[in-house]
């Protein structure tokens, strides 16, 4: 008699599929684009949570359910957080400790021309965190995030959501102004972003909104252009994350404001927010 352990590969596969069928997991996806490239990477997650249209009056629970039930869409593959990022979690961490650790940072070349480090500002217990790219001229002068023209527009967006700036937390991927407002280089992002990860870990928001491609690409570990995944929900370390256009882009392209507002309405639905009543 054959040993019960002497299964053929086909029998093993059938048993494995039956097991997952019992768990009600009926579909499997293998992304062939990443096959053969995963020698040292953690599992790849597919950001299939295409956000549902914000139903008027929908509860956060209904929105979450809709996210879960939305079928996978053709979206970019996003890698899970790396082991190196995982060790950025510091026992007993606080925003004050992170700022202290940062000190008068000279870890990357962006320190050379900066005036002030722009650490971040807002509610340390915020349910909503906005992450931008890096400080601009006004931010560099004042040491505060989003205080220039784009910052004013961000404030309007926050208030349109029924919140005040003090209710949310606002920070950037890099904390020093890149010269001539250029995009931060990969090595600068890699050097500075661990402090951002620690900030997000300490605050523990319900939602993160990435403003612009650099913030979204940094947190989602993708090089895909933001236009490919803007307005979709992703999981970032058990927090819902959505990318939308940067307010500076909206200043140059006002017609994109309606798209951003749709994105923010999805965030409002998730957080159970309603826009303030206006008297007309
Ligand atoms: S951008 Fe970040 S890592 Fe670079 S010098 Fe400034 S604080 Fe330090």
């Amino acid at each position: 008699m054959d040993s019960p352990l002497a299964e053929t590969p086909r029998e093993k596969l059938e048993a494995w599929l039956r097991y997952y069928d019992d768990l009600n997991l009926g579909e499997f996806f293998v992304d062939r684009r990443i096959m053969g490239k995963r020698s040292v990477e953690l599992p790849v997650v597919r950001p299939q949570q295409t956000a549902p249209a914000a139903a008027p009056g929908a509860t956060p629970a209904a929105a979450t359910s809709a996210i879960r039930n939305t079928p996978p869409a053709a979206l970019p593959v996003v890698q899970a957080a790396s082991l190196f990022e995982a060790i950025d979690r510091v026992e007993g961490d606080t925003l004050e400790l992170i700022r202290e650790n940062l000190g008068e940072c000279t870890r990357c070349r962006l320190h050379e021309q900066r005036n002030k480090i722009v650490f971040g500002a807002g509610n340390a217990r915020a349910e909503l965190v906005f992450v931008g790219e890096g400080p601009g001229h006004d931010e560099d002068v004042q040491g505060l995030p989003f205080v220039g023209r784009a910052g004013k527009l961000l404030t309007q967006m926050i208030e349109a959501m029924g919140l005040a700036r003090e209710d949310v937390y606002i920070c950037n991927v890099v904390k020093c102004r890149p010269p001539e407002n250029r995009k931060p280089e990969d090595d600068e992002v890699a050097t500075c972003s661990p402090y951002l990860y620690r900030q997000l870990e300490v605050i523990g928001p319900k939602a993160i909104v990435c403003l612009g491609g650099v913030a979204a690409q940094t947190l989602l570990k993708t090089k895909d252009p933001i236009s490919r995944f803007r307005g979709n929900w992703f999981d970032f370390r058990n927090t819902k994350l959505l990318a939308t256009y940067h307010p500076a882009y909206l200043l140059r392209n006002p017609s994109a404001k309606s798209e951003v507002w749709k994105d923010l309405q999805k965030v409002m639905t998730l957080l159970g927010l309603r826009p303030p009543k206006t008297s007309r």
Side-chain angles (χ1 to χ4, degrees):
M1 192 172 90
D2 285 339
S3 159
L5 296 177
E7 290 177 305
T8 65
R10 182 192 172 92
E11 287 167 339
K12 278 186 187 168
L13 180 60
E14 285 174 347
W16 184 75
L17 288 171
R18 270 198 304 277
Y19 173 66
Y20 280 93
D21 197 38
D22 288 344
L23 296 178
N24 255 349
L25 297 173
E27 290 182 284
F28 301 88
F29 299 93
V30 176
D31 193 316
R32 295 179 188 281
R33 288 174 296 174
I34 50 91
M35 287 178 75
K37 294 185 192 173
R38 297 175 54 185
S39 54
V40 295
E41 294 163 352
L42 286 176
V44 171
V45 294
R46 180 178 288 272
Q48 75 274 31
Q49 295 101 332
T50 302
T59 63
T64 307
S65 167
I67 288 167
R68 277 201 215 100
N69 295 330
T70 304
L75 288 170
V77 170
V78 177
Q79 295 171 10
S82 75
L83 282 174
F84 297 105
E85 285 156 15
I87 62 173
D88 292 330
R89 290 168 188 168
V90 175
E91 194 73 32
D93 212 2
T94 63
L95 292 178
E96 291 75 21
L97 182 59
I98 300 166
R99 182 64 190 87
E100 194 182 314
N101 291 164
L102 201 59
E104 280 308 299
C105 185
T106 57
R107 292 172 180 84
C108 84
R109 71 182 78 83
L110 291 182
H111 82 277
E112 292 165 3
Q113 296 184 46
R114 76 154 181 252
N115 185 34
K116 288 186 177 170
I117 290 178
V118 181
F119 180 70
N123 184 348
R125 293 276 171 270
E127 292 195 335
L128 176 58
V129 174
F130 288 92
V131 181
E133 177 178 315
H137 172 267
D138 295 315
E139 290 77 15
D140 178 61
V141 169
Q142 297 187 41
L144 293 169
F146 283 89
V147 288
R149 280 181 68 218
K152 286 200 178 82
L153 180 53
L154 176 61
T155 303
Q156 288 170 1
M157 289 156 56
I158 291 168
E159 290 173 352
M161 297 173 76
L163 293 168
R165 260 181 90 112
E166 302 73 43
D167 295 325
V168 305
Y169 194 85
I170 306 172
C171 51
N172 287 300
V173 171
V174 293
K175 303 191 186 311
C176 300
R177 182 194 183 197
E180 311 302 326
N181 289 345
R182 67 162 169 77
K183 279 192 176 178
E185 305 284 350
D186 287 351
D187 62 323
E188 296 159 353
V189 169
T191 306
C192 203
S193 56
Y195 296 94
L196 168 65
Y197 292 125
R198 282 176 62 186
Q199 286 171 291
L200 295 173
E201 185 76 18
V202 166
I203 296 166
K206 283 187 182 166
I208 297 168
V209 172
C210 291
L211 298 169
V214 170
Q217 289 162 352
T218 299
L219 295 187
L220 294 175
K221 301 287 174 214
T222 180
K223 291 288 186 191
D224 284 326
I226 188 173
S227 55
R228 279 199 63 196
F229 55 84
R230 197 215 89 245
N232 294 311
W233 283 115
F234 297 88
D235 276 324
F236 173 79
R237 301 183 180 185
N238 299 321
T239 300
K240 291 279 177 276
L241 183 152
L242 175 145
T244 194
Y245 293 129
H246 195 285
Y249 174 82
L250 297 182
L251 291 174
R252 297 191 301 273
N253 303 277
S255 62
K257 283 184 184 172
S258 60
E259 295 302 308
V260 171
W261 180 235
K262 282 182 204 159
D263 298 340
L264 296 181
Q265 284 179 306
K266 293 171 185 174
V267 179
M268 290 165 64
T269 300
L270 183 79
L271 299 179
L273 297 171
R274 290 183 185 283
K277 287 196 170 67
T278 52
S279 51
R280 292 201 171 191

